[in-house]
């Protein structure tokens, strides 16, 4: 039998080569998926490492006890030996030691830390030199940052003291890359605090001071140090170990470290969780493209081998007539095609790795190595085995057919259950996949390939309809004398092998259209989400002492309001409250980027949340605030309990409540409040009278308010102004109280507290509308004009009036409210809440950050719409979509190869038939290949199939790694961009059919002329 198989391969070399090439294609398609997934998994891990928080990249082991002396190299200590024993292979270990204390120089002092840290000199630019080990009797050498040196007033060669230990400065350093995980965020290079003019050099006066190995001090007990080790996650570690293994190692290390008395703290497991989730999403997403490629390759083999087998039917019939057993024919068929399938495995591995390498080089967000491993070989073997199964399935009909059917030139039609079993199986699998996909949750199992299964099921059904319709239409056209088209339709309809070809081309067209549409929708969704999540072309997170300082600083940096806007945002609250976005509303429409998902214009929002205030703010300037007032109450009834005056003022440094001295006494008197923050300027927020007990009624008349310094007071409020009740708002928190105006010769504001209502009561300046007007998203459920409870920008509970309802808001998406920052700040009475930001338009000048620093804002970080958009492109769903688009494009070429393979297999019989018809009078224009019909049917049915699978499976496709989006995902792709992919595909198939038809026509002409 082996000799017969070898003879069959030699005799049908062209067929064997075609099977080999198609099997290699199937094997390579199967091998490309695990190769790409492994490489992309590496890239995702490296990208996650580059964007992770510093504490997510290392595990710290620190000694529990402190030891006398300056920080020293712990390399040769028991601590280091224990650390090495506890550390798994693959971690980078950075040893160090730390002492806390106060550094004092001739110009000032600062509380900071002194460190020994291995490798610091390689990561800084130094003016002078790095510290070196000193001998006994020499001053220890240290290296300070630019900011620390400026505060201490020292230069290279100068001395200062740290924890009362004299040290000498040998170098002034500046970090080369402050985002290097080596610096652990703000642990060594401390971020500058807001309120003072900053520089572009990162850090502050609290930056770490570094030293080298120091000799013992005369009195080591004056300073203590603690050894520590930072264990950094490396790329090699992530590439070589699975996430569950790494998680288990970290837990073991923390447990053993705690047993040794080391504080082992880290959040590295959160990094492992993200990498594991991203890799899982990538593998699931790539399944669709890999399934498509392998399915198309198997279909091509089925079509090509089936066509070739049909040409050998008479040969098989004669063999059976001569007594050859069918099992020998099966053995010959298996052996003849098993050899190409086995040879295809190594070739497919190489081809799959090459394809994955090419794709990885153009799609991955970081460098990754594409390797040949056991998974690649296994998948290649599966692809080759499937190819062999497709070959045998294509020949099964011929090898099991009766002899009389084998001797027919045209195969008999399959009837009964055999004719529909394939359709039933395909539809059943597709239905199960779609149902599983639409049940919700993360797609898995059949749901991962639901679009491919649905496309195949719809394609085989439409191919059957097309064959039946082609036969009926062809017969009618022949009856009317339309020979050319009618003959082509009849020929196609009578050949069963054209049906899988139509299904193949339909699936290729539909899946390319579907994946292109999904990529188009994903691209639009990424852009939409980036616009909404960022809010403006560029958003800079800053540190400022107060909201007032933030507003003033931004307005000074951009006086005309052309490109900068102050904002405070509270995105998440522990009790699930309403997220809040407070903005400088006059600049909102200029700086923020509009989006249709908001359902309202920024101009409308600004008008609604910034109405005219009921009164002007009360501005104070001076160190002292004097309140003239008259109090009426029975002092004896209070039994010595205090009655105090408390004034709340807001300045650039924040909001503060200050009590007056002395306590309030019956009668008219002046009460002085010391407010040093008002030297430049501050704003009066609230005036309160605080009582511990209240046995009788209490009435206080406020007659005058002065502000200034000793001997230079300025009247801020007169009695008449106090009596203007439109300027004030009751600020009672407990009990019964009221404010009223008194007229006559001594106008004043009267504050009355009823008996039995102790606590604080008073009045606030009505310089902001209350309740605060806001725009609320519809998902919160409060109607227009209603009252909505929320936490204000100071974190205290308050109520807003709904001035408008939006579908969505910048940064908050479909849940939250937007308010005017200045009004919200005027209503605030306590601390600071939320993140302070500066939103910048695209027209912001290049030096805008320096302008903000000059106004005392410390730059913490920044985001851009472009950067966030690119981040989405680097996540697992985006990478999977690119692979699937690559697979769909390759599927188009596979479809064209199937058309060519089928034409090559049947060319001899088709030419013979057309030559006979030509000699019987068939006109030359009717001599065509008949390959245009499958292309035309595939173009139409491909569009229908695309629509069907889009409606059924679109909602189940994962576009984002976190599975959510603050804006609705587009329901339909841009048709124009979709046609960019579809039109060339149909054109390619059409040109292939035309060329094949011309080849057939040319062969017919040559043979007819003989």
């Amino acid at each position: 039998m082996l000799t017969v198989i070898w003879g069959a391969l030699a005799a049908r070399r062209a067929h064997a080569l075609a099977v080999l090439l198609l099997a290699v294609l199937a094997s390579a398609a199967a091998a490309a998926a695990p190769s790409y997934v492994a490489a992309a998994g590496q890239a995702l891990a490296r990208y996650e490492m580059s964007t992770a928080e510093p504490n997510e990249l290392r595990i710290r082991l620190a000694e529990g006890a402190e030891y006398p002396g300056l920080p020293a190299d712990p390399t040769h200590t028991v601590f280091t030996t224990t650390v090495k024993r506890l550390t798994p292979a693959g971690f980078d270990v950075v040893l160090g030691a730390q002492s806390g204390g106060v550094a004092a120089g001739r110009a000032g002092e600062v509380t900071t830390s002194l460190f020994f840290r291995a490798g610091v000199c390689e990561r800084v630019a130094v003016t002078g030199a790095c510290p070196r080990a000193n001998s006994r009797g020499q001053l220890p050498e240290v290296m300070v940052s630019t900011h620390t040196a400026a505060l201490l007033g020292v230069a290279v060669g100068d001395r200062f003291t740290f924890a009362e230990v004299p040290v000498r400065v040998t170098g002034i350093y500046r970090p080369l890359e402050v985002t290097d995980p080596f610096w652990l965020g703000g642990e060594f290079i401390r971020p500058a605090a807001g309120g003072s003019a900053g520089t572009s050099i990162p850090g502050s006066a609290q930056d770490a001071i570094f030293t080298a190995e120091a000799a013992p001090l005369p009195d080591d007990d004056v300073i203590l140090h603690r050894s520590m080790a930072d264990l950094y996650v490396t790329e090699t570690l992530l590439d070589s170990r699975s996430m569950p293994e790494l998680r288990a190692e970290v837990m073991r290390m923390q447990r053993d470290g705690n047993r040794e008395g080391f504080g082992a703290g880290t959040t590295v497991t959160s990094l492992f969780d993200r990498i594991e989730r991203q890799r899982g999403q990538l593998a699931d997403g790539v399944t669709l493209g890999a399934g498509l490629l392998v399915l198309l390759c198997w279909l091509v083999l089925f079509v090509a081998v089936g066509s070739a087998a049909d040409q050998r039917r008479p040969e098989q019939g004669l063999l059976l007539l001569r007594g050859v057993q069918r099992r020998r024919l099966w053995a010959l068929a298996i052996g003849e095609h098993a050899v190409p399938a086995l040879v295809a495995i190594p070739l497919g591995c190489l081809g799959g790795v090459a394809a994955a390498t090419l794709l990885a080089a153009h799609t991955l967000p970081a460098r990754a190595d594409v390797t040949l491993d056991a998974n690649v070989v296994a998948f290649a073997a599966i692809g080759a085995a499937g190819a062999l199964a497709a070959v045998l399935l294509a020949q099964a009909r011929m090898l099991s057919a009766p002899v009389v059917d084998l001797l027919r030139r045209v195969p008999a039609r399959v009837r009964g259950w055999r004719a529909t079993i394939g359709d039933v199986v395909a539809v059943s699998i597709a239905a199960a996949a779609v149902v599983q996909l639409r049940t919700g949750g993360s797609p898995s199992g059949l749901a991962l390939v639901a679009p491919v299964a649905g496309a195949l099921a719809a394609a085989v059904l439409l191919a059957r309809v097309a064959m039946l319709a082609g036969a009926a239409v062809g017969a009618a056209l022949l009856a009317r004398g339309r020979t050319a088209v009618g003959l082509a339709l009849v020929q196609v309809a009578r050949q069963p092998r054209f049906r899988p070809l139509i299904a193949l081309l339909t699936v290729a067209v539909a899946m390319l259209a579907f994946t292109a549409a999904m990529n188009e929708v994903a691209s639009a969704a990424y852009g939409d989400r980036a616009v909404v999540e960022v809010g403006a072309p560029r958003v800079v997170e800053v540190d400022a002492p107060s909201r007032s300082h933030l507003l003033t600083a931004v307005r000074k940096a951009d006086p005309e309001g052309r490109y900068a806007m102050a904002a405070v945002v509270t995105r998440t609250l522990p009790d699930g409250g309403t997220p809040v976005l407070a903005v400088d509303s006059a600049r909102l429409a200029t700086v923020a980027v509009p989006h249709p998902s908001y359902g309202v214009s920024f101009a409308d929002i600004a008008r609604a949340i910034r109405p005219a205030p009921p009164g002007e703010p009360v501005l104070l300037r001076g160190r002292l605030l004097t309140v003239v007032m008259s109090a009426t109450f029975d002092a004896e009834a209070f039994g010595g309990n205090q009655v105090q005056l408390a004034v709340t003022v807001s300045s650039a440094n924040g909001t503060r409540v200050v009590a007056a001295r002395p306590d309030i006494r019956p009668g008219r008197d002046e009460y002085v409040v010391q407010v040093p923050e008002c030297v430049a300027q501050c704003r009066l927020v609230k005036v309160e009278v605080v009582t511990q007990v209240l046995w009788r009624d209490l009435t206080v008349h406020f007659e005058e308010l002065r502000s200034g310094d000793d001997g230079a007071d300025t009247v801020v409020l007169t009695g008449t102004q106090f009596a203007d009740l439109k300027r004030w708002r009751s600020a009672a928190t407990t009990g019964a109280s009221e404010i009223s105006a008194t007229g006559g010769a001594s106008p004043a504001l009267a504050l009355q507290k009823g008996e039995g209502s102790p606590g604080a009561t008073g009045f606030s300046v009505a310089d902001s509308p209350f309740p605060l007007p806001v725009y609320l998203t519809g998902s919160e459920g409060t109607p227009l004009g209603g009252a909505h409870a929320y936490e204000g920008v100071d974190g205290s509970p308050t109520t807003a009036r709904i001035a408008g309802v939006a579908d969505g808001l910048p940064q908050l998406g479909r849940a939250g409210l937007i308010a005017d920052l200045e009004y919200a700040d005027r209503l605030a009475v306590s601390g600071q809440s939320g993140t302070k930001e500066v939103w910048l338009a695209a027209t912001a000048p290049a030096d805008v950050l320096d302008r903000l620093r000059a106004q005392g804002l410390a730059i913490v970080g920044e985001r851009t719409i472009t950067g966030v958009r690119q981040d989405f492109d680097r996540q697992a769903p985006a990478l999977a979509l690119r692979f699937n688009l690559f697979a769909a494009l390759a599927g188009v070429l596979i479809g064209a190869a199937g058309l060519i393979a089928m034409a090559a297999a049947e060319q001899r019989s088709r030419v013979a038939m057309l030559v006979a018809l030509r000699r019987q009078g068939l006109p030359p224009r009717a001599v065509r290949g008949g390959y245009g019909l499958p292309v035309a049917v595939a173009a139409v049915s491909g569009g229908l199939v695309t629509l069907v699978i889009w409606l059924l499976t679109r909602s189940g496709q994962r576009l984002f790694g976190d599975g959510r989006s603050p804006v609705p995902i587009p329901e339909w792709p841009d048709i124009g961009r979709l046609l960019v992919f579809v039109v060339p595909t149909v054109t390619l198939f059409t040109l292939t059919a035309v060329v094949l038809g011309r080849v057939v026509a040319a062969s017919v002409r040559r043979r007819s002329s003989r």
Side-chain angles (χ1 to χ4, degrees):
M1 181 57 70
L2 293 178
T3 304
V4 175
I5 292 173
W6 183 255
L9 289 172
R12 292 194 284 267
R13 292 186 296 272
H15 174 73
L17 180 60
V19 172
L20 174 62
L21 293 177
L22 294 174
V24 168
L25 193 59
S27 182
S35 302
Y36 181 78
V37 167
Q42 283 186 359
L44 285 172
R46 291 168 182 173
Y47 177 71
E48 288 292 342
M49 284 183 62
S50 67
T51 59
E53 295 294 328
N55 199 46
E56 294 179 328
L57 296 174
R58 57 93 179 177
I59 302 170
R60 168 159 292 182
L61 300 177
E63 284 187 309
E66 293 183 325
Y67 298 93
L70 288 169
D73 185 356
T75 300
H76 303 294
T77 64
V78 175
F79 169 76
T80 301
T81 303
T82 307
V83 167
K84 290 181 178 179
R85 176 172 53 83
L86 295 176
T87 303
F91 282 90
D92 277 347
V93 181
V94 177
L95 297 172
Q98 175 188 11
S99 294
V102 176
R106 59 174 179 266
E109 62 181 33
V110 61
T111 301
T112 182
S113 294
L114 180 66
F115 286 92
F116 171 89
R117 187 163 175 84
V120 67
C121 291
E122 290 80 9
R123 292 173 172 85
V124 295
V126 183
T127 301
C130 278
R132 297 171 298 178
N134 67 301
S135 304
R136 185 182 295 272
Q138 294 180 332
L139 290 180
E141 298 183 354
V142 298
M143 178 172 62
V144 298
S145 75
T146 304
H147 301 286
T148 306
L151 178 66
L152 299 179
V154 296
V156 175
D158 291 345
R159 301 180 180 182
F160 68 92
T161 61
F162 180 84
E164 300 182 358
V165 176
V167 295
R168 185 171 67 88
V169 178
T170 62
I172 298 175
Y173 73 87
R174 177 173 57 84
L176 295 176
E177 182 55 61
V178 74
T179 58
D180 188 334
F182 178 86
W183 301 111
L184 296 177
E187 181 168 345
F188 296 102
I189 307 299
R190 303 290 177 84
S196 59
T199 68
S200 58
I201 300 176
S204 65
Q206 290 78 33
D207 292 341
I209 300 174
F210 294 100
T211 185
E213 185 73 23
L217 299 173
D219 183 5
D220 270 345
D221 291 334
V222 299
I223 189 170
L224 302 175
H225 74 272
R226 176 184 286 110
S227 297
M228 60 184 185
D230 289 324
L231 283 55
Y232 284 90
V233 176
T234 62
E235 293 180 356
T236 303
L237 184 71
L238 296 179
D239 293 342
S240 60
R241 310 283 288 279
S242 67
M243 293 303 108
E245 291 175 343
L246 287 176
R247 198 178 290 108
E249 288 284 1
V250 170
M251 294 179 63
R252 179 196 60 77
M253 186 165 33
Q254 288 182 303
R255 182 185 66 248
D256 294 347
N258 290 330
R259 289 176 180 174
E260 296 288 344
F262 300 159
T266 182
T267 58
V268 70
T269 53
S270 61
L271 172 64
F272 297 161
D273 292 340
R274 290 201 306 274
I275 294 174
E276 188 174 26
R277 183 178 66 251
Q278 291 270 339
R279 286 177 171 175
Q281 292 173 351
L282 176 70
D284 291 344
V286 167
T287 301
L288 176 63
L292 172 64
L293 275 178
V294 174
L295 173 66
L296 290 178
C297 290
W298 291 347
L299 276 176
V300 167
L301 274 166
F302 183 82
V303 170
V305 175
S307 299
D310 282 343
Q311 306 308 312
R312 299 198 302 273
R313 296 172 73 256
E315 172 188 336
Q316 301 293 336
L318 292 174
L319 288 175
L320 289 172
L321 282 176
R322 293 172 181 174
V324 177
Q325 296 178 341
R326 289 185 183 270
R327 61 183 180 83
R328 292 187 175 273
L329 294 180
W330 274 105
L332 176 61
I334 293 174
E336 182 180 356
H337 297 99
V339 173
L342 291 174
V343 174
I345 294 176
L347 298 179
C349 290
L350 297 177
V353 169
T357 302
L358 180 63
L359 187 60
H362 293 86
T363 61
L364 298 186
R367 179 186 59 81
D369 302 321
V370 180
T371 58
L372 180 63
D373 56 17
N375 284 333
V376 175
V377 176
F379 274 82
I382 292 173
L388 179 59
V391 168
L392 298 178
L393 182 62
Q395 297 190 99
R397 180 183 174 190
M398 179 191 68
L399 294 175
S400 60
V403 175
V404 65
D405 287 341
L406 292 175
L407 295 177
R408 291 167 54 106
R409 288 187 176 271
V410 177
R413 294 184 180 180
V414 179
R415 301 183 185 278
W417 64 271
R418 293 183 180 86
T420 58
I421 185 62
D423 297 356
V424 172
V425 172
V427 171
S428 299
I429 293 175
V434 171
V435 169
Q436 185 178 354
L437 181 68
R438 295 179 68 88
T439 53
S442 300
S444 60
L446 281 177
L448 297 174
V449 292
V452 175
L456 179 62
V460 296
L461 292 179
L462 289 175
R464 178 178 291 275
V465 172
M467 295 289 284
L468 296 175
V473 174
L477 290 177
L478 286 176
R480 295 181 182 181
R482 302 289 298 273
T483 310
V485 179
L487 183 61
L489 289 173
V490 170
Q491 288 175 345
V492 171
R494 293 191 64 191
Q495 298 292 337
R497 58 182 174 273
F498 273 99
R499 187 176 169 222
L501 177 64
I502 292 174
L504 168 66
L505 299 181
T506 299
V507 171
V509 173
M511 288 309 300
L512 176 64
F514 178 82
T515 52
M518 193 55 66
N519 273 270
E520 174 60 26
V521 167
S523 179
Y526 295 159
D528 290 341
R529 180 170 173 180
V531 167
V532 173
E533 285 196 349
V534 181
R538 188 179 178 189
V539 173
V540 180
E541 183 181 346
V542 298
D543 181 27
S546 66
R547 295 174 295 271
S548 176
H549 182 209
L550 173 66
L551 274 167
T552 303
V554 174
R555 289 172 178 174
K556 287 182 178 180
D558 177 23
E560 298 176 359
R562 293 182 293 108
Y563 56 81
M565 178 187 73
V568 174
V569 58
T570 305
R571 297 180 182 85
T572 56
L573 298 171
D575 57 353
T578 304
V580 177
L581 173 64
V583 299
D584 191 353
S585 55
R587 304 176 178 221
L588 180 63
T590 303
V591 176
V593 177
H595 194 272
S597 66
Y598 300 149
V600 65
S601 69
F602 288 144
D604 292 340
I605 292 178
R607 283 192 297 270
I609 67 176
R610 182 77 184 188
E616 294 299 321
V618 178
L619 301 179
L620 311 174
R621 190 184 299 273
R623 189 180 302 275
L624 301 176
L625 181 64
T626 304
V627 182
V628 181
M629 61 186 193
S630 299
T632 303
F633 62 95
D634 187 352
E636 295 182 359
F638 280 80
N641 289 286
Q642 297 176 335
V643 179
Q644 290 183 311
L645 173 68
V647 177
T648 302
V649 295
S650 175
S651 69
N653 294 323
T655 303
R656 189 167 73 101
V657 180
V658 190
R661 289 291 183 266
D663 296 337
I664 298 177
R665 300 177 296 272
R668 188 176 188 274
D669 206 344
E670 296 184 354
Y671 298 88
V672 178
V673 181
Q674 295 187 357
V675 283
E677 57 265 64
C678 296
V679 170
Q681 181 174 283
C682 70
R683 175 175 55 83
L684 178 65
V685 177
K686 183 168 58 175
V687 178
E688 295 177 299
V689 174
V690 183
T691 56
Q692 298 177 354
V693 296
L694 193 59
W695 304 114
R696 296 289 186 272
D697 291 348
L698 169 68
T699 302
V700 179
H701 290 80
F702 293 88
E703 302 174 1
E704 187 178 77
L705 178 68
R706 301 194 301 270
S707 176
D709 295 320
D710 294 333
D713 287 353
T714 301
V715 176
V716 178
L717 293 173
T718 64
T720 302
Q721 291 172 317
F722 264 120
D724 185 3
L725 294 182
K726 294 184 296 184
R727 301 176 63 101
W728 315 109
R729 182 171 56 250
S730 176
T733 56
T734 60
S737 63
E738 61 179 19
I739 58 174
S740 60
T742 60
S746 300
L749 173 68
L751 173 65
Q752 296 176 321
K753 294 191 67 174
E755 181 179 344
S757 57
T761 186
F763 54 91
S764 300
V765 181
D767 53 0
S768 175
F770 183 84
L772 188 68
V774 302
Y775 245 85
L776 185 73
T777 55
S779 62
E780 297 293 337
T782 306
L784 184 67
H788 184 79
Y790 74 104
E791 288 189 9
V793 293
D794 58 351
S796 60
T798 184
T799 303
R801 177 179 60 84
I802 308 306
V805 177
D807 296 332
L809 292 172
Q811 291 200 4
L812 306 183
R814 287 173 279 188
L817 63 84
I818 186 171
D820 182 79
L821 177 57
E822 188 169 19
Y823 282 171
D825 182 55
R826 290 178 182 179
L827 291 176
V829 294
S830 56
Q832 307 288 319
S833 179
T835 303
K836 299 180 180 66
E837 297 177 342
V838 180
W839 292 19
L840 300 174
T843 57
D847 64 342
V848 63
L849 296 185
D850 292 334
R851 297 186 186 189
L852 295 175
R853 291 189 184 99
Q855 299 301 325
L857 298 180
I859 307 302
V860 178
E862 67 174 286
R863 296 178 297 154
T864 65
I865 291 177
T866 302
V868 173
R869 170 69 175 79
Q870 292 174 348
D871 287 341
F872 293 140
D873 271 332
R874 297 183 179 108
Q875 294 180 359
L879 299 182
L881 285 173
R882 290 176 200 157
F883 180 87
N884 293 340
L885 184 59
F886 159 78
L889 291 171
V892 171
L893 300 179
I894 293 171
L899 190 59
I900 295 172
M902 178 177 175
E906 66 166 13
Q907 182 180 8
R908 180 176 300 177
S909 62
R910 179 172 290 272
V911 169
M913 178 188 66
L914 291 175
V915 167
L917 292 174
R918 181 75 179 86
R919 291 172 178 172
Q920 296 175 23
L922 184 70
R925 61 185 180 84
V927 180
R928 298 176 182 175
Y931 303 109
L933 178 61
V935 173
V937 172
V940 176
S941 59
L944 295 176
V945 172
T946 302
L947 180 61
V948 170
I949 62 175
W950 180 263
L951 294 175
L952 292 177
T953 66
R954 176 192 65 85
S955 59
Q957 302 303 308
R958 182 188 286 115
L959 299 183
F960 294 97
D962 54 9
R964 65 175 183 86
S965 177
V967 294
I969 295 174
E971 294 186 1
W972 299 99
D974 184 276
I975 301 300
R977 295 185 180 179
L978 188 58
L979 291 177
V980 172
F981 290 91
V982 176
V983 171
T985 299
V986 177
T987 302
L988 174 63
F989 289 163
T990 303
L991 291 176
T992 303
V994 170
V995 171
L996 293 175
R998 290 185 178 275
V999 170
V1000 170
S1003 298
V1004 171
R1005 284 196 302 270
R1006 286 195 303 270
R1007 294 187 59 179
S1008 298
S1009 62
R1010 294 176 183 175

